[in-house]
Amino acid sequence: MEDCRFETSEIQASLLMSTQLFTDSWSSCNTANCDGRIKIQLIAGITYVAIQAVPMIQLGDLVGLPVAGDVLFPGLSSDEPLPMVDAAILKLFFQLKIKEVLELELVGRKLVVITGHSTGGAVAALTALWLLSQTSLPPFRVFCITFGSPLLGNQSLSTSISRSRLAHNFCHVVSIHDLVPRSSNEQFWPFGTYLFCSDNGGVCLDNADSVRRMFNILNATGTPNIEEHQRYGHYVFTLSHMFLKSRSFLGGNIPDNSYQAGVALAVEALGFSNDDTSGVLVKECIETTTRIVRAPILRSAELANDLASVLPARLEIQWYKDRCDASEEQLGYYDFFKRYSLKRDYKVNMSRKRLAQFWDKVVKMVETNELPFDFHLGKKWVYASQFYQLLTEPLDIANFYKNRDIKSGGHYLDQGNRPKRYEVIDQWQKGVAKPDKCERSIYTSTTQDTCFWAKLEEVKEYLDEVIKESSDAQRRSLLLEKILRFESYANTLVKKKEVSVDVLAKNSSYSVWVGNLREFKFKMGYGNEIEMVVDECDAMET
Amino acid sequence: MAFEALAGINGDLITTSWIASKKAYQTERYHKEEAGTVVIFAFRPSFTAEDLFAPANISSFGEIKMNRVQFPCMRKIGKGDEATVNEAFLRNLEVIIDPRTSFYASVEMSVGSRKQIVFTGHSSGGATAILATVWYLEKYFIRNPNVYPEPRCVTFGAPLVGDSIFSHALGRENWSRFFVNFVTRFDIVPRIMLARKASIEQTLPHVLGQLDPTNPSFQESDQRITEFYTTVMRDTSTVANQAFCELTGSAEAFLETLSSFLELSPYRPAGTFVFSTEKRLVAVNNSDAILQMLFYTSQASDEQEWSLIPVRSIRDHHSYEELVQSMGMKLFNHLDLHQFLLDGQNSIGSWLNELGVSTRGRQYVLAALEEEKKRVENQKKIENKWPQIVKELSWIENEYKPKCQAHKNGYYDSFKVSNEENDFKANVKRAQLAGIFDEVLGLSKKGQLPDEFEGGRDWIELATRYRRLIEPLDIANYHRHLKNEDTGPYMKRGRPNRYIYAQRGYEHIILKPQGRIAEDVFWNKVNGLNLGLKQEIQEILKKSGSECGSCFWAEVEELKGKPYEEVEVRVKTLEGMLGGWITAGEVDDKEIFLEGSTFRKWWITLPENHKLHSPLREHMMDEIRAT
């Protein structure tokens, strides 16, 4: 419980409840429900899109999201197993032609709130998710607020949303007596922030496990009330006026510890008493979710120090690369490391591992939201990660091919072989504005395409196969095409001086391969004039 | 009553200030009163809507950035953001401080006779007093703090004037202690500025009429007042809650998204606030805690009280007379870090209870105070690292530099080539130092350090030593890896914030007593070189390394590859600046003129005609003779 001094679940709720956003969202929902159609309106600079509740639909069947072809959510990080959503909600999403309507309506908007009551809320969540998980972020901010909405999808959907760092765009307002938001189907999973409310106040929980736990407590204790589902108007009114009056603690003595006192107050805000069993369960539930071990800001400031402490490892590798470049063997650091024969190589391997550990840690911290949400946009980290990747990924590739089981035949760039940290760093780089291209006067200090060597390893095998003539003619011509495409790609890089000198060292794998290719072409009588016409630029983009 | 918590302010002074403030109602702009060695200026409040929100101002809270030239201290040093204040209040001040006014002449006279000045006012007159005090501090006090007496500012029910940078800057310069603001419990005026202009526009003129003490018609039951009160409190609640979440860093991402949909008042309390209860006065210095108190002291505890509060929120604005009169009979307490007794008669808890602060509110007030404690702890943690910083810097200074000089190319060039074991070692040290300074930067950017930290002379001096010594290594590293080719020029794209912040801190300390800002000083110097049309030159020098001495090498690297004709102005500017840099210690002349230095090698290649007229001829004599 280090550094855990404030209970924060109630203040988040108080904040939301005191805003115009909260009341305006509900009134939009109300209009949409009354009119029976989508309501779009502009209030004080914010565009409210309210989706009407459609009663009498059968909920509870999960269906997988299409991941290939016409993808609905291309930007959603999808791990196994497949994210799934409620089939009826997905159907409704298409039936209401939301995509078509919004594509027209949201042009030029700055702030967009997607909202809905009941099933309309679930469709609203799906809509917001669709807006947020396109390949590029929308030009406006999106906030989704639902009232008494049923659960949208399975656990995998929930984790994907959280991993894609989208969960903070969702807020679900749920009455503690309303059954609709809690599904009896165990496969359905919550995501985003939940605002649980009673007549006494509200509490926010943003961790899926805690929300589920709260559902279970409510299932076990509450008296189900079908009318509750229609009482959100009452709740919104009551809660939005709550700020006027101070709430005194009802349960006798308030705990001394300010965190404990905060939790006790939060329990009462939900209409429970701190003295009975269900109150104790609620208390435990709030405690687990609000235990902020340490503030993200401090953690990221300290990470600057950790980075400095692993920096000697990077400098060691840099040093190693420079020594290799200067060596008489005229072999770049990639090939030196792949050969792995000197004591020096062993030392560098330790440095490589140390750095990998550090960056794996950083990537994981970002994924689990332990760092400030805009952490990866900081210039310092963008540069540091890029620097790391440029220098070290070739060693990871060398390491991969050194230890590779030839028979299994997998390549570095095949699914799952490339360390995740590099993919994440690639993502971070995308967020940075690229400077205007300028001409380089000398070769870069590190090859700009960090996967250059991995691509080379692939075509090296292709060339061997073609020379051996072990496969059929059709495959050979296919391979040859790939070989030539790489050749031209590599030529462009060299011409633009976007490779480091180690690539061009006399005995480097690349130079050897170029030699072999030339010899092969000569033997086959190809000459250089039959260059394939390929689109250089995107030929090797991965 | 013990006033020791309020530096240099006693009961008499408060009473005199209040009386003067009342007299100011009848004046055109201000009332002046002399009491012994003290001169009091009391400003007239205004109760018209235009004087609260400047009509031409289109922003949601009538705010505007302060002018840097007029108020050079009112900003964040490192980041450079200026403080934001209410435009209507600022305009009002500008009229008053015009050099042709009697006010200006009176202040000049008081300053001349070294009399202490007290600025005071009721309601928006208090807002004027706050800004007038800041004006006095920037115009007179800062030039010579030993000669000019410290000013004082006493306000009664004043609206908030400035944002968090305003309050931060006062804290950093150790000026907060000059400001004392009295607030009666339900007074609406200190909370008005937390509401959105759009939400109160309709009812504001009517309410202001009711607030005017010279207006005899006061209506007891008035729906418009209830509406106004509710709106102001709703927005105050939103601001207080949001600020608290931000302060404690909770639910960061959710908060950020939600906040982007809200219009939140930028105004924050500055200086000391004194809240009054039946029995006592409670003084608070911490801006975050005051913000929470502004909200939680005016919540109602039950239905019956609630129905009375809107009217009280108006009436309390008129009850400063009672406050001042009963002051002598009340206890005086100071709510601060050292008073952490939560229970009992004389505890923070019971004071807050008397102020009507709920259990929840009490937690937030205490939490805000604890955050202050945490900031102090963070500072200690950094100070513990000073010996390490000094050790690493000394190594570079005393070991690395002399060894490189022995090789006749200086540490910049040695580091750029990085052939020796020592270069590797220097690189490791550079990295470690970068880690420490970036940590400090991260903390200071997010407000996790005390306000005073940024302006601390010792820290600024250490950071300056670090910047002068190590930035050349960062520049060498940048060019060694050809970052200038794939990322862009160092000054535009590569310069780490830790150096920019350090540079601004240094400039702040140097220029503060002169009341000048760095940009002006720089452009004055450039203009003094007479290189051509001012505007053209400014265009050419936008983001060049000539802005700062420790970026000397970056500019050399940029100029090196380019034909002389193309960069003539930049070359001449660099040469023109160099002398000043060497004298100030920004550039080490033992380094740059060494035989193997990149700078010297490049300079030799410049056209003969240029070299003949260059101010650096002296330093390069051997070369000139040889050719």
Side-chain angles (χ1 to χ4, degrees):
Chain A
M1 282 254 296
E2 176 197 3
D3 267 331
C4 189
R5 284 173 305 192
F6 320 113
E7 189 287 316
T8 52
S9 64
E10 199 183 341
I11 193 160
Q12 280 179 55
S14 308
L15 172 60
L16 185 73
M17 292 173 340
S18 72
T19 62
Q20 208 75 44
L21 185 81
F22 183 61
T23 41
D24 288 344
S25 295
W26 172 253
S27 66
S28 303
C29 287
N30 209 15
T31 320
N33 282 352
C34 292
D35 298 357
R37 57 194 172 85
I38 299 174
K39 172 82 187 164
I40 299 177
Q41 58 180 344
L42 187 72
I43 308 172
I46 302 173
T47 306
Y48 291 85
V49 178
I51 294 161
Q52 76 272 31
V54 177
M56 317 292 276
I57 57 169
Q58 190 60 47
L59 296 170
D61 291 323
L62 284 166
V63 58
L65 284 171
V67 269
D70 182 23
V71 194
L72 204 51
F73 307 112
L76 202 62
S77 89
S78 65
D79 288 339
E80 301 294 310
L82 206 60
M84 293 168 103
V85 295
D86 194 302
I89 299 295
L90 188 64
K91 202 171 141 206
L92 213 50
F93 176 75
F94 289 118
Q95 265 173 8
L96 296 173
K97 299 216 180 301
I98 287 173
K99 274 166 78 174
E100 292 77 358
V101 173
L102 293 191
E103 261 160 13
L104 288 173
E105 285 284 346
L106 296 184
V107 177
R109 308 292 178 133
K110 289 273 171 286
L111 299 167
V112 176
V113 171
I114 313 281
T115 183
H117 168 236
S118 186
T119 46
V123 180
L126 189 67
T127 308
L129 191 59
W130 166 68
L131 286 169
L132 288 166
S133 58
Q134 297 306 304
T135 32
S136 59
L137 280 176
F140 43 78
R141 311 273 317 215
V142 177
F143 190 66
C144 174
I145 174 164
T146 72
F147 299 88
S149 136
L151 290 166
L152 177 63
N154 64 355
Q155 184 177 14
S156 179
L157 181 79
S158 169
T159 3
S160 301
I161 290 173
S162 169
R163 288 242 178 98
S164 311
R165 304 172 72 72
L166 298 174
H168 57 265
N169 294 292
F170 296 86
C171 181
H172 308 285
V173 181
V174 163
S175 147
I176 56 164
H177 304 296
D178 183 5
L179 271 177
V180 176
R182 319 173 218 155
S183 173
S184 51
N185 185 339
E186 277 293 306
Q187 280 195 296
F188 278 85
W189 217 266
F191 62 86
T193 298
Y194 269 73
L195 169 59
F196 287 98
C197 60
S198 75
D199 278 324
N200 299 338
V203 162
C204 278
L205 301 180
D206 56 10
N207 160 310
D209 291 328
S210 306
V211 173
R212 275 173 59 87
R213 217 164 131 184
M214 185 63 84
F215 284 158
N216 287 334
I217 297 169
L218 297 176
N219 281 336
T221 57
T223 39
N225 184 343
I226 302 196
E227 277 160 34
E228 270 299 314
H229 191 54
Q230 303 306 332
R231 288 190 71 216
Y232 284 92
H234 157 79
Y235 280 117
V236 169
F237 181 81
T238 312
L239 297 174
S240 67
H241 285 85
M242 207 138 261
F243 68 92
L244 287 169
K245 273 164 244 159
S246 63
R247 192 162 56 80
S248 43
F249 187 62
L250 303 168
N253 278 335
I254 188 90
D256 282 343
N257 174 303
S258 92
Y259 175 76
Q260 293 297 336
V263 175
L265 280 164
V267 170
E268 288 193 346
L270 281 183
F272 286 85
S273 155
N274 277 282
D275 301 326
D276 62 23
T277 3
S278 49
V280 171
L281 288 174
V282 171
K283 190 174 120 192
E284 283 169 5
C285 181
I286 292 172
E287 272 176 2
T288 45
T289 180
T290 56
R291 245 172 227 177
I292 303 166
V293 185
R294 289 164 79 214
I297 293 165
L298 289 183
R299 219 178 281 131
S300 92
E302 271 168 30
L303 212 55
N305 256 325
D306 294 352
L307 176 69
S309 75
V310 294
L311 225 123
R314 203 190 79 197
L315 296 175
E316 172 99 43
I317 296 178
Q318 184 70 49
W319 186 254
Y320 173 76
K321 178 177 184 297
D322 294 348
R323 295 311 108 200
C324 292
D325 286 346
S327 79
E328 285 173 7
E329 285 185 70
Q330 306 207 30
L331 204 61
Y333 77 133
Y334 174 80
D335 290 294
F336 261 111
F337 191 70
K338 202 174 148 195
R339 198 173 64 185
Y340 204 81
S341 57
L342 303 171
K343 196 173 152 214
R344 194 172 71 184
D345 304 329
Y346 169 76
K347 257 181 84 185
V348 162
N349 197 28
M350 297 307 290
S351 294
R352 180 186 66 86
K353 283 188 180 159
R354 238 182 104 193
L355 287 168
Q357 238 168 29
F358 171 77
W359 285 101
D360 281 343
K361 183 180 87 182
V362 173
V363 165
K364 188 153 172 266
M365 283 169 91
V366 169
E367 265 193 4
T368 50
N369 295 316
E370 285 175 62
L371 292 170
F373 69 98
D374 56 356
F375 169 82
H376 61 290
L377 300 176
K379 208 165 87 173
K380 179 186 173 82
W381 293 97
V382 170
Y383 283 158
S385 60
Q386 185 194 27
F387 225 5
Y388 158 71
Q389 185 186 19
L390 284 168
L391 188 65
T392 321
E393 189 162 13
L395 295 188
D396 277 305
I397 298 169
N399 189 54
F400 176 85
Y401 282 100
K402 173 170 66 90
N403 297 318
R404 185 170 72 130
D405 180 4
I406 302 270
K407 286 201 194 79
S408 72
H411 278 287
Y412 179 79
L413 290 172
D414 293 350
Q415 183 88 36
N417 284 339
R418 189 177 181 214
K420 188 165 180 206
R421 56 179 178 276
Y422 292 126
E423 276 160 18
V424 174
I425 294 172
D426 274 347
Q427 282 294 324
W428 294 353
Q429 302 299 330
K430 276 190 193 158
V432 185
K434 288 273 171 290
D436 313 329
K437 278 285 159 223
C438 51
E439 283 195 18
R440 289 170 194 282
S441 57
I442 44 174
Y443 291 109
T444 57
S445 62
T446 43
T447 303
Q448 297 299 297
D449 178 356
T450 54
C451 289
F452 179 84
W453 292 106
K455 291 168 187 169
L456 177 75
E457 291 288 353
E458 285 185 21
V459 292
K460 222 166 87 180
E461 256 181 40
Y462 299 157
L463 185 62
D464 290 348
E465 197 178 325
V466 172
I467 291 173
K468 266 192 278 173
E469 298 187 7
S470 53
S471 42
D472 60 61
Q474 196 188 354
R475 178 167 164 80
R476 280 208 311 263
S477 79
L478 190 79
L479 293 180
L480 196 61
E481 191 182 316
K482 283 186 176 167
I483 290 168
L484 294 176
R485 204 179 286 168
F486 177 80
E487 185 195 19
S488 114
Y489 169 72
N491 278 340
T492 326
L493 283 189
V494 173
K495 222 185 298 164
K496 285 197 195 146
K497 299 199 168 57
E498 293 212 329
V499 294
S500 148
V501 283
D502 61 291
V503 169
L504 304 169
K506 200 174 135 209
N507 299 317
S508 81
S509 295
Y510 174 69
S511 300
V512 171
W513 180 80
V514 170
N516 289 345
L517 180 63
R518 195 182 303 123
E519 200 177 300
F520 168 74
K521 279 183 179 174
F522 181 73
K523 211 164 73 191
M524 304 304 286
Y526 280 164
N528 272 329
E529 69 280 7
I530 59 133
E531 293 234 347
M532 313 257 320
V533 187
V534 278
D535 189 350
E536 298 178 342
C537 295
D538 46 32
M540 295 302 288
E541 287 282 343
T542 45
Chain B
M1 185 171 68
F3 278 109
E4 58 268 17
L6 308 177
I9 292 179
N10 57 33
D12 287 346
L13 192 68
I14 296 165
T15 312
T16 330
S17 299
W18 171 247
I19 293 167
S21 297
K22 269 195 308 182
K23 285 185 184 157
Y25 295 154
Q26 310 305 333
T27 64
E28 197 194 337
R29 296 200 181 280
Y30 73 98
H31 167 76
K32 181 186 161 190
E33 194 156 309
E34 300 214 25
T37 55
V38 180
V39 184
I40 295 174
F41 290 97
F43 298 95
R44 187 180 68 88
S46 162
F47 295 92
T48 56
E50 308 88 88
D51 288 330
L52 250 59
F53 296 107
N57 188 307
I58 53 158
S59 51
S60 307
F61 299 90
E63 74 272 23
I64 191 174
K65 292 251 176 225
M66 286 185 104
N67 181 340
R68 265 185 96 155
V69 179
Q70 199 177 5
F71 300 102
C73 287
M74 300 311 286
R75 64 191 162 100
K76 279 216 150 185
I77 304 175
K79 211 163 167 228
D81 301 352
E82 293 92 1
T84 293
V85 291
N86 180 303
E87 185 177 358
F89 299 157
L90 189 65
R91 295 279 163 261
N92 186 38
L93 174 81
E94 279 167 1
V95 173
I96 290 172
I97 59 169
D98 187 290
R100 288 162 302 189
T101 58
S102 63
F103 174 78
Y104 185 87
S106 299
V107 172
E108 281 278 317
M109 216 170 73
S110 312
V111 169
S113 56
R114 305 279 183 269
K115 285 196 170 167
Q116 183 177 43
I117 300 182
V118 177
F119 298 97
T120 186
H122 175 223
S123 198
S124 69
T128 314
I130 291 169
L131 287 172
T133 311
V134 173
W135 167 77
Y136 171 85
L137 286 165
E138 291 263 28
K139 187 167 167 61
Y140 300 100
F141 184 69
I142 203 168
R143 310 289 165 110
N144 204 341
N146 300 323
V147 172
Y148 297 123
E150 294 175 346
R152 290 288 181 273
C153 176
V154 182
T155 73
F156 304 92
L160 300 182
V161 171
D163 68 345
S164 60
I165 300 180
F166 187 85
S167 135
H168 161 85
L170 293 182
R172 186 193 61 223
E173 300 300 330
N174 197 15
W175 290 345
S176 291
R177 65 206 159 97
F178 302 147
F179 298 80
V180 179
N181 308 284
F182 287 89
V183 175
T184 46
R185 190 178 150 191
F186 290 102
D187 185 357
I188 195 77
V189 177
R191 286 132 179 145
I192 285 182
M193 285 299 151
L194 296 172
R196 288 163 296 140
K197 187 168 69 180
S199 68
I200 54 171
E201 234 161 14
Q202 296 297 318
T203 39
L204 185 65
H206 172 74
V207 172
L208 286 175
Q210 297 292 308
L211 285 167
D212 189 344
T214 57
N215 177 1
S217 69
F218 181 61
Q219 295 154 330
E220 274 294 322
S221 62
D222 188 335
Q223 189 49 42
R224 278 174 292 181
I225 286 179
T226 307
E227 199 186 310
F228 183 80
Y229 169 80
T230 312
T231 313
V232 171
M233 281 299 285
R234 177 190 295 279
D235 283 356
T236 304
S237 148
T238 310
V239 171
N241 285 332
Q242 198 272 352
F244 184 82
C245 287
E246 205 169 85
L247 182 70
T248 50
S250 61
E252 221 197 346
F254 179 69
L255 184 70
E256 202 271 347
T257 313
L258 180 58
S259 301
S260 66
F261 282 83
L262 306 176
E263 281 186 304
L264 294 161
S265 166
Y267 301 112
R268 292 292 179 274
T272 302
F273 273 61
V274 181
F275 292 87
S276 76
T277 73
E278 301 294 311
K279 279 192 279 182
R280 67 180 93 231
L281 296 175
V282 179
V284 200
N285 299 346
N286 180 305
S287 176
D288 302 314
I290 299 167
L291 180 66
Q292 297 302 321
M293 287 176 74
L294 283 176
F295 174 68
Y296 284 102
T297 55
S298 75
Q299 264 188 329
S301 53
D302 54 43
E303 211 56 52
Q304 198 200 347
E305 193 183 26
W306 152 236
S307 61
L308 301 173
I309 290 179
V311 172
R312 270 203 77 180
S313 78
I314 304 292
R315 201 179 279 152
D316 269 8
H317 192 58
H318 300 144
S319 60
Y320 289 93
E321 179 85 25
E322 288 98 299
L323 188 151
V324 171
Q325 278 171 2
S326 63
M327 210 166 48
M329 274 108 61
K330 285 186 183 173
L331 295 163
F332 186 87
N333 294 112
H334 193 225
L335 200 70
D336 73 356
L337 296 171
H338 312 294
Q339 300 263 4
F340 254 108
L341 274 174
L342 285 174
D343 288 311
Q345 270 296 298
N346 197 24
S347 66
I348 288 188
S350 71
W351 308 338
L352 291 174
N353 245 349
E354 279 175 36
L355 280 166
V357 175
S358 66
T359 320
R360 204 28 120 183
R362 187 169 86 181
Q363 280 195 321
Y364 296 154
V365 173
L366 294 178
L369 292 176
E370 285 225 31
E371 283 298 305
E372 177 77 42
K373 223 182 192 170
K374 221 163 86 187
R375 289 196 280 267
V376 174
E377 278 160 26
N378 286 342
Q379 176 167 0
K380 280 203 192 108
K381 243 167 54 193
I382 289 167
E383 280 165 359
N384 287 339
K385 289 183 180 166
W386 285 24
Q388 196 202 341
I389 298 176
V390 172
K391 198 183 108 210
E392 311 294 12
L393 290 179
S394 302
W395 184 85
I396 303 274
E397 232 156 38
N398 305 327
E399 299 266 332
Y400 185 54
K401 255 174 115 173
K403 274 201 184 118
C404 295
Q405 275 170 15
H407 293 152
K408 299 216 164 175
N409 64 352
Y411 79 131
Y412 175 81
D413 280 286
S414 177
F415 193 82
K416 202 175 149 195
V417 184
S418 275
N419 263 332
E420 311 270 332
E421 197 67 40
N422 251 350
D423 302 324
F424 179 73
K425 239 172 114 182
N427 207 354
V428 173
K429 296 201 183 294
R430 178 188 67 87
Q432 281 163 344
L433 287 165
I436 298 175
F437 277 86
D438 279 343
E439 188 189 4
V440 177
L441 194 70
L443 290 172
S444 116
K445 265 188 182 164
K446 303 271 181 180
Q448 299 288 322
L449 290 170
D451 288 339
E452 303 84 40
F453 180 82
E454 210 187 11
R457 191 167 272 277
D458 291 344
W459 172 254
I460 288 179
E461 276 168 8
L462 186 64
T464 303
R465 189 172 155 209
Y466 162 70
R467 174 176 59 84
R468 289 172 173 172
L469 200 59
I470 309 296
E471 185 162 17
L473 298 187
D474 268 285
I475 297 170
N477 194 51
Y478 194 78
H479 290 92
R480 177 167 117 88
H481 292 293
L482 296 170
K483 283 273 163 204
N484 54 325
E485 295 197 349
D486 53 43
T487 308
Y490 175 81
M491 284 307 282
K492 261 199 196 124
R493 294 241 173 203
R495 192 171 187 211
N497 272 331
R498 53 179 183 271
Y499 295 124
I500 300 176
Y501 278 48
Q503 179 198 339
R504 291 186 179 152
Y506 170 71
E507 290 165 348
H508 177 70
I509 284 254
I510 298 282
L511 300 175
K512 192 164 80 167
Q514 307 166 24
R516 297 166 75 196
I517 59 169
E519 289 94 306
D520 288 351
V521 173
F522 173 70
W523 290 116
N524 270 344
K525 259 190 210 160
V526 172
N527 293 338
L529 296 172
N530 287 322
L531 297 173
L533 269 177
K534 218 165 142 184
Q535 247 140 23
E536 279 173 27
I537 303 286
Q538 290 203 356
E539 191 53 41
I540 294 171
L541 293 183
K542 226 195 259 165
K543 287 255 178 191
S544 78
S546 293
E547 266 171 45
C548 176
S550 54
C551 298
F552 169 79
W553 286 108
E555 186 69 353
V556 172
E557 292 283 355
E558 280 299 311
L559 297 176
K560 210 174 73 179
K562 301 191 170 81
Y564 174 76
E565 298 71 33
E566 220 175 81
V567 293
E568 191 183 335
V569 170
R570 284 174 72 176
V571 174
K572 285 185 174 160
T573 311
L574 186 73
E575 288 186 339
M577 291 289 169
L578 193 55
W581 289 339
I582 291 174
T583 326
E586 287 281 306
V587 173
D588 185 352
D589 56 341
K590 287 198 289 299
E591 287 278 326
I592 58 170
F593 296 118
L594 285 169
E595 226 168 83
S597 102
T598 303
F599 172 60
R600 190 185 189 102
K601 284 191 198 149
W602 161 73
W603 192 87
I604 294 164
T605 66
L606 294 173
E608 290 307 321
N609 195 37
H610 172 91
K611 287 194 279 190
L612 211 58
H613 299 104
S614 162
L616 303 184
R617 221 173 51 233
E618 295 280 320
H619 295 284
M620 308 278 195
M621 250 342 184
D622 348 338
E623 305 295 338
I624 294 187
R625 261 186 231 120
T627 46

